[in-house]
Amino acid sequence: MGKFLDFFRRILQPLRSPVFLTMLVISFFLWYGIKLSHIYTAEVPVKVTIEGERYKVQCLVEARGTELWAQRLSLGSKVNIPLDEIINRKDTTINADKLGDAIMQRTSTLKILKVIEVPSVELASE
């Protein structure tokens, strides 16, 4: 048992060095910065304003890591969409494909693959 503890201490000894820990932290941030430039697919809530009401629309999005982080941290811009652009006139419901296209037209950084959750919007009776 004593030999095992000595071996374990010899392995952990360099890990206590401040220079090693500093270089480890710097290398992590550099690695993470490189990974943020890649393109990822993720579920992201997109802030949308329809007829003055704010909604969070859950979307499957393809974008760079930096844009995904900005969207998740609510730094992404809010999208204003007129109701006439996304509504089905036959049954007065919101069309998910039209909503995804409208969001994608107004955001240059996000590619909407699928709208997962369509908000229920109160329609004004005509």
Side-chain angles (χ1 to χ4, degrees), residues 23-65:
M23 291 300 178
L24 184 66
V25 169
I26 290 171
S27 65
F28 170 76
F29 283 114
L30 289 173
W31 170 81
Y32 198 68
I34 290 170
K35 287 296 184 182
L36 283 177
S37 67
H38 293 146
I39 295 177
Y40 297 99
T41 302
E43 283 186 24
V44 177
V46 178
K47 291 182 180 179
V48 175
T49 303
I50 303 172
E51 297 294 314
E53 294 290 322
R54 295 181 188 166
Y55 301 97
K56 280 190 177 181
V57 180
Q58 198 70 16
C59 298
L60 185 64
V61 171
E62 185 177 273
R64 292 195 182 281

Side-chain angles (χ1 to χ4, degrees), residues 28 58 66 79 86 92 95 125:
F28 170 76
Q58 198 70 16
T66 51
V79 181
I86 59 173
T92 64
N95 186 336
S125 58

